[in-house]
């Protein structure tokens, strides 16, 4: 192949009680990377559409670019040359895994372009390098589900151990992105370095309950387990109207509602499409009550991960 286009999905990380260890992918939104072979070696970002000029065009400082570079170094093919066109289809700094989607689309595309020298799971460390560039930490709770699809558990980083879980058929996610921005580094800075034993025990119970609820499946157990007593109480202060928006989601039938990643987006899990759409409208209305406009996305859980679209 001389040219390929790949879509990679947005993701919800943490999923309430699972800070830095849980994440799931959605069908929409997402990012698109188009790669074109060229004669001269190296990775070149030819253009980025939809970022308002905010993202770096230097490959080594761009999440898609660095992921492709690390991949080519690993397979000893630095003689390869590719031009990269990145199309951002979600807001930056949204808590929806924007940097992860770009990194995953890039590394998945180059692997496909070269005839799949690596298995999909083996692409994860290269996508994680994109996260390191974006926020200073090579975490996997966004790139994992974006690459593998579905609901993902990051059991360990040393060694890297990522597990994909089945999710109940027909489960929908509602994502609402208020028109404000929360910097990932700021959202990490305000977190406490220590937690009480009581809260740790409560959180571990909810983590175990959420996994069990997904696997059984048991919607009531999922709902009872989507409680975060450690991270959400701290980070929610960065999101105006958080409590009211969450309550609006629950009152409208959501199984649970919390912060997506580091925010400011919020997510809700729902039993069906009708409920998910109703929940989205209620969440948007709650934000609008204090003059905050927002974008809403409703989709099933993405079980595929990235896909070739051209």
């Amino acid at each position: 192949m001389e040219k390929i286009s790949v879509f990679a999905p947005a993701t919800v990380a943490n999923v309430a009680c699972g800070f830095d260890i849980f994440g799931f992918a959605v069908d929409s939104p997402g990012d698109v990377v188009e790669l074109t072979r060229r004669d001269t070696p190296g990775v070149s970002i030819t253009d980025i559409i939809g970022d308002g000029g905010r993202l770096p065009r230097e490959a080594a400082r761009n999440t898609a670019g660095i992921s492709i570079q690390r991949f080519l170094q690993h397979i000893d093919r630095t003689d390869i040359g590719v031009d990269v066109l990145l199309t951002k289809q979600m807001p930056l700094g949204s808590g929806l895994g924007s940097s992860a989607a770009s990194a995953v689309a890039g590394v998945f595309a180059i692997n496909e372009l070269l005839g799949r020298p690596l298995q999909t799971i083996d692409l994860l460390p290269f996508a994680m390098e994109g996260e390191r560039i974006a926020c200073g930490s090579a975490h996997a709770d966004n790139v994992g589900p974006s690459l593998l699809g579905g609901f993902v558990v990051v059991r360990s980083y040393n060694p890297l151990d990522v597990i994909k879980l089945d999710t109940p058929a027909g489960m929908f996610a509602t994502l609402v992105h208020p028109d404000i921005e929360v910097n990932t580094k700021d959202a990490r800075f305000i977190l406490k370095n220590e937690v009480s034993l009581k809260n740790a025990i409560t959180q571990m119970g909810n983590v175990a309950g959420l996994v069990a609820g997904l696997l059984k499946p048991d919607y009531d157990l999922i709902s009872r387990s989507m409680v975060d007593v450690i991270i959400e109480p701290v980070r929610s202060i960065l999101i105006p109207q958080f409590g009211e928006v969450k309550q609006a989601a629950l009152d409208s039938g959501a199984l649970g509602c919390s912060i997506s990643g580091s925010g400011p987006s919020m997510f809700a899990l729902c039993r069906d499409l009708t409920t998910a759409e109703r929940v989205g409208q209620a969440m948007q209305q709650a934000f609008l009550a204090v003059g905050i406009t927002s974008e809403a996305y409703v989709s099933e859980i993405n079980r595929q991960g990235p896909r070739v679209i051209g």
Side-chain angles (χ1 to χ4, degrees):
M1 280 189 288
E2 295 298 315
K3 189 173 184 178
I4 191 171
S5 294
V6 166
F7 168 89
T11 48
V12 170
N14 303 334
V15 198
C17 56
F19 177 67
D20 273 7
I21 62 169
F22 282 168
F24 66 82
V26 295
D27 283 334
S28 178
D31 283 352
V32 174
V33 164
E34 180 182 286
L35 301 186
T36 305
R37 291 283 290 266
R38 61 190 180 118
D39 295 332
T40 55
V43 179
S44 174
I45 309 291
T46 57
D47 197 9
I48 302 176
I49 300 170
D51 72 326
R54 295 170 59 188
L55 296 179
R57 267 58 177 172
E58 182 185 346
R61 297 176 55 241
N62 179 280
T63 58
I66 191 67
S67 300
I68 296 169
Q69 286 181 335
R70 292 286 188 266
F71 171 87
L72 292 174
Q73 290 166 4
H74 177 79
I75 65 168
D76 197 24
R77 289 303 308 272
T78 53
D79 60 305
I80 296 290
V82 288
D83 289 330
V84 181
L85 171 61
L86 171 60
T87 302
K88 302 294 297 180
Q89 297 181 337
M90 69 178 96
L92 306 182
S94 59
L96 299 176
S98 175
S99 58
S102 296
V104 166
V107 74
F108 188 87
I110 189 66
N111 192 53
E112 292 288 312
L113 191 69
L114 299 183
R116 299 181 189 169
L118 297 183
Q119 298 294 316
T120 299
I121 185 63
D122 296 324
L123 303 178
L124 188 55
F126 312 113
M128 289 170 62
E129 286 303 307
E131 292 287 68
R132 190 191 305 278
I133 290 293
C135 64
S137 174
H139 55 91
D141 51 344
N142 285 114
V143 291
S146 185
L147 180 65
L148 302 176
F151 191 101
V152 165
V153 178
V154 183
R155 191 203 65 80
S156 168
Y157 281 95
N158 189 21
L160 185 61
D161 190 3
V162 175
I163 304 102
K164 180 178 177 179
L165 302 180
D166 291 332
T167 52
M171 177 181 282
F172 277 76
T174 300
L175 311 179
V176 175
H177 173 246
D179 293 324
I180 59 176
E181 189 166 327
V182 173
N183 184 279
T184 301
K185 293 180 180 178
D186 293 340
R188 280 190 173 269
F189 180 76
I190 66 171
L191 298 179
K192 300 175 182 178
N193 291 323
E194 297 180 353
V195 298
S196 69
L197 179 61
K198 177 183 177 181
N199 282 346
I201 292 170
T202 299
Q203 199 86 336
M204 286 189 292
N206 287 329
V207 166
L210 182 54
V211 171
L214 291 169
L215 295 179
K216 287 176 74 78
D218 184 330
Y219 284 114
D220 290 335
L221 179 55
I222 292 171
S223 182
R224 296 197 305 273
S225 302
M226 285 182 61
V227 179
D228 177 8
V229 298
I230 296 176
I231 306 300
E232 183 183 296
V234 179
R235 280 188 168 171
S236 60
I237 64 175
L238 299 176
I239 305 174
Q241 199 74 347
F242 173 84
E244 292 78 2
V245 175
K246 179 174 181 176
Q247 193 59 52
L250 297 176
D251 291 345
S252 298
L255 295 171
C257 175
S258 190
I259 304 168
S260 179
S262 58
S265 293
M266 296 176 61
F267 81 96
L269 288 179
C270 304
R271 296 171 184 259
D272 52 57
L273 175 59
T274 301
T275 303
E277 291 176 337
R278 182 173 65 246
V279 165
Q281 293 170 0
M283 293 172 71
Q284 286 191 289
Q285 285 300 315
F287 272 125
L288 201 57
V290 290
I292 299 175
T293 57
S294 61
E295 299 166 272
Y297 309 91
V298 175
S299 78
E300 285 191 272
I301 306 301
N302 177 310
R303 291 169 172 79
Q304 176 185 352
R307 65 179 186 271
V308 177
I309 59 173

